[in-house]
Amino acid sequence: MREPWVDVALARLPETRSCPACAAPLRSSRCDRCLLDLTGPLAFEVAAASNDAADALARRQVALDALRASQPAAAAWAARAAAPGAPPVTPGRR
């Protein structure tokens, strides 16, 4: 079971067609909305850090999935929570 924010972050972090600061679509190397100039070494550092963060988040999810799979009670809870139409499941409750 993956938290919704993980999917959003994995899609957003490496995205290069939108501004990394305000998410506006980019038509050039300068954001029309927030006016951030996305050229030069610092812009490349932001892009590299974004890719590193996405990679780390993906590794975290793989480790979390393996951890959950190794624990039957946690795996059962995740399966119930992820089932279509399932009522909200509160961790720690059965």
Side-chain angles (χ1 to χ4, degrees):
M1 183 180 109
R2 191 185 309 218
E3 297 170 83
W5 68 268
V6 173
D7 290 327
V8 172
L10 287 173
R12 175 90 176 89
L13 283 166
E15 172 62 53
T16 58
R17 295 176 308 230
S18 61
C19 178
C22 74
L26 291 173
R27 296 186 304 153
S28 70
S29 60
R30 182 177 178 190
C31 179
D32 291 336
R33 180 188 294 161
C34 73
L35 306 179
L36 191 64
D37 182 356
L38 298 167
T39 61
L42 289 176
F44 284 104
E45 180 63 27
V46 168
S50 295
N51 286 321
D52 291 346
D55 291 344
L57 189 54
R59 287 192 312 274
R60 176 189 181 270
Q61 189 63 49
V62 168
L64 184 56
D65 291 344
L67 181 63
R68 183 174 282 123
S70 73
Q71 300 176 28
W77 177 87
R80 285 191 311 272
V89 179
T90 304
R93 290 194 174 167
R94 295 179 186 219

